[in-house]
Amino acid sequence: MENNQSFFERKFLLSHHKTDVKTEFMAGLTTFMTMSYILIVNPDLLSQTGMDKGGVFTATILASIIAMLLMGLYANMPFALSAGMGLNAFFTYTVCLGMGYEWSFALTAVFLEGIIFILLSFFNVREAIFTAIPHSLKKAVSVGIGLFIALIGFTSSGLIVANEATYLAMGDLLTKESFIAIVALFTMAILTAKQVRGALLYGIIISTVLALITGVTHFPGVASLFSLPPSIKDVAFHLEWDNIFTFDMFSVMFTFLFVDIFDTVGTLTGVATKADLIDEDGNLPGVSKALLSDAIGTICGALLGTSTITTFVESASGVADGGRTGLTSLSTAFFFFISLFLFPLFSIVPPQATAAALIMVGLFMMSPITEIDFSDYTESVPAFLTIAMMPFAYSIAEGISVGMISYVIMKVVTGRAKEVSVVMYILALVFLLRYLSPLVF
């Protein structure tokens, strides 16, 4: 044990970070409990594009493990990674179901985004883009994605349905399916309010048991709960390049990159602050290693068959439990590995349970709205359009495009053009050309 302890001490500098092996392991378990819902939600979302659900399940876990091994062994940071919420919704509902592209096109965009993420890191362009985007739009993107995800949750649960007269209307709340969704939602909400770690997971478990009792889903039998991981052959290495030089590919790829940059940088900063990893200058030592781990995870995910891999804000739960080093990330990866053999167990979860989790994630993403200055209309109008267009146009990309274009217009027309960065002018022009391209070409 002493040899093991000394190995972990040498590798992860445990005493320097005032932690130990047991604390790191338990922190990894806590992080896994709070983010394990992604193993249910991500395959469920991506399977709607025609992808094999079992293959996405395995690909998500493998890509997550690769990214967490890098984060733990290379970056030595307590961050967990998996398929990002919002990014998987954009993948499914905008690129595939909205724009009509095959899932292989979306995977290609994710792959290219990962490559560009790495290249931008080498030339410090990533920081330039991050700095150039105004504060109000950064916050608006998070809020808009939250509303978009919540809308998906409400519609997929049956609580909100299509209506010819009003477009959307309340669904039938007296069905078994609606009852399960409501129970799942309020279980998650109450447990979250009581600050119970793993609230979403517990809500999924309780509502799944209820679904089994009511016959909405069916138990496969104890002997069938464990199996070898589903094959990834139907989803892995299915990239296609036919439309690589089109505006749509650029728009899709840039949206993946844009959201990934802000998700990753924002999450790393927030969780690192909580873990007391920020230095006196306000920087995160070794952040480039963490970002590289994230980007490589995304590339591996695209090749294996899943959407963008990114750092999870749920890592904060493990940090709150004392996780301070890469050993926490490795511990989380260990529990992901065990999950590889539990696909039959995950597959019995009803869509109403995952829909409730989406609604709660939408809530979590709403908090930055308080940081938008609504008294300055050159800031609030573009922010509002960004937020509103995502759910109403059913597209994260449209929200970002309209937000950037309107920001430049508002600043220029009101005589505040100097407040707009050169990068913002370029991005707004590119997105404007995307809308004008049918007239030009």
Side-chain angles (χ1 to χ4, degrees):
M1 181 66 183
E2 289 184 2
N3 289 335
N4 290 336
Q5 185 72 32
S6 62
F7 167 76
F8 289 125
E9 172 60 38
R10 291 194 306 271
K11 182 63 183 175
F12 300 104
L13 305 176
L14 299 179
S15 60
H16 173 75
H17 292 284
K18 300 177 182 179
T19 184
D20 54 47
V21 173
K22 180 181 178 181
T23 300
E24 295 290 298
F25 182 80
M26 295 307 296
L29 174 59
T30 298
T31 299
F32 172 77
M33 288 181 63
T34 58
M35 66 181 290
S36 57
Y37 67 87
I38 196 64
L39 301 183
I40 301 167
V41 174
N42 199 56
D44 188 57
L45 281 182
L46 267 59
S47 65
Q48 296 177 46
T49 69
M51 299 182 74
D52 177 64
K53 189 172 184 177
V56 174
F57 175 81
T58 302
T60 300
I61 292 178
L62 292 178
S64 302
I65 289 174
I66 291 170
M68 283 187 279
L69 287 176
L70 285 168
M71 186 67 75
L73 296 173
Y74 176 61
N76 191 24
M77 292 185 182
F79 308 131
L81 304 92
S82 193
M85 293 298 300
L87 290 159
N88 53 8
F90 174 67
F91 184 108
T92 299
Y93 294 101
T94 298
V95 182
C96 296
L97 301 184
M99 299 173 71
Y101 283 110
E102 295 292 327
W103 53 263
S104 55
F105 175 92
L107 284 179
T108 305
V110 172
F111 176 78
L112 292 173
E113 179 250 317
I115 296 292
I116 292 175
F117 201 126
I118 293 176
L119 293 176
L120 293 182
S121 300
F122 288 144
F123 297 102
N124 294 322
V125 178
R126 183 194 61 246
E127 288 82 359
I129 294 177
F130 183 80
T131 303
I133 306 301
H135 176 82
S136 58
L137 288 188
K138 292 175 185 174
K139 302 304 177 183
V141 167
S142 174
V143 176
I145 291 175
L147 286 177
F148 181 65
I149 291 175
L151 177 60
I152 293 169
F154 280 117
T155 54
S156 60
S157 67
L159 297 176
I160 297 294
V161 297
N163 182 284
E164 290 186 5
T166 61
Y167 296 105
L168 296 176
M170 185 73 77
D172 185 354
L173 302 183
L174 300 180
T175 65
K176 292 187 292 185
E177 290 79 8
S178 293
F179 177 66
I180 289 168
I182 293 170
V183 169
L185 177 59
F186 278 95
T187 300
M188 294 173 187
I190 292 169
L191 292 178
T192 299
K194 295 175 74 68
Q195 298 184 334
V196 175
R197 295 190 182 96
L200 300 191
L201 176 62
Y202 289 135
I204 287 174
I205 292 172
I206 290 171
S207 57
T208 298
V209 172
L210 183 60
L212 289 168
I213 295 172
T214 57
V216 172
T217 191
H218 302 284
F219 191 67
V222 177
S224 304
L225 288 181
F226 305 94
S227 70
L228 291 175
S231 172
I232 61 173
K233 66 179 180 66
D234 291 330
V235 297
F237 303 103
H238 284 263
L239 303 184
E240 55 107 337
W241 310 95
D242 293 348
N243 300 297
I244 189 171
F245 294 113
T246 63
F247 276 112
D248 279 348
M249 175 60 86
F250 174 82
S251 175
V252 170
M253 181 185 65
F254 180 80
T255 301
F256 276 127
L257 181 65
F258 180 92
V259 178
D260 193 13
I261 287 176
F262 296 128
D263 264 5
T264 304
V265 175
T267 299
L268 285 175
T269 302
V271 179
T273 300
K274 190 176 185 66
D276 198 26
L277 297 176
I278 302 294
D279 63 22
E280 59 273 10
D281 297 321
N283 300 316
L284 174 59
V287 65
S288 60
K289 293 182 178 180
L291 291 169
L292 183 61
S293 302
D294 189 292
I296 292 175
T298 291
I299 292 171
C300 292
L303 293 175
L304 293 171
T306 191
S307 53
T308 306
I309 300 297
T310 190
T311 306
F312 262 54
V313 71
E314 284 82 356
S315 302
S317 63
V319 167
D321 261 7
R324 293 293 182 272
T325 75
L327 190 53
T328 295
S329 182
L330 295 186
S331 298
T332 307
F334 169 74
F335 292 107
F336 267 72
F337 174 75
I338 293 176
S339 301
L340 269 176
F341 306 95
L342 297 174
F343 177 68
L345 184 62
F346 283 99
S347 65
I348 67 174
V349 175
Q352 293 77 23
T354 58
L358 290 175
I359 295 170
M360 287 301 296
V361 171
L363 166 66
F364 299 154
M365 299 184 73
M366 288 291 293
S367 59
I369 198 169
T370 60
E371 301 178 47
I372 299 173
D373 182 6
F374 284 97
S375 64
D376 182 350
Y377 290 101
T378 65
E379 298 284 339
S380 60
V381 169
F384 172 73
L385 291 175
T386 300
I387 293 169
M389 287 298 291
M390 288 188 187
F392 293 153
Y394 215 67
S395 169
I396 294 172
E398 301 298 352
I400 292 174
S401 300
V402 171
M404 287 192 168
I405 294 171
S406 61
Y407 184 87
V408 172
I409 291 174
M410 289 295 294
K411 291 293 185 181
V412 171
V413 174
T414 57
R416 297 167 61 178
K418 292 182 179 180
E419 296 179 20
V420 183
S421 66
V422 175
V423 174
M424 272 297 294
Y425 280 116
I426 295 172
L427 293 176
L429 178 61
V430 169
F431 282 121
L432 184 61
L433 288 174
R434 173 173 170 262
Y435 291 118
L436 298 177
S437 59
L439 297 176
V440 177
F441 301 103

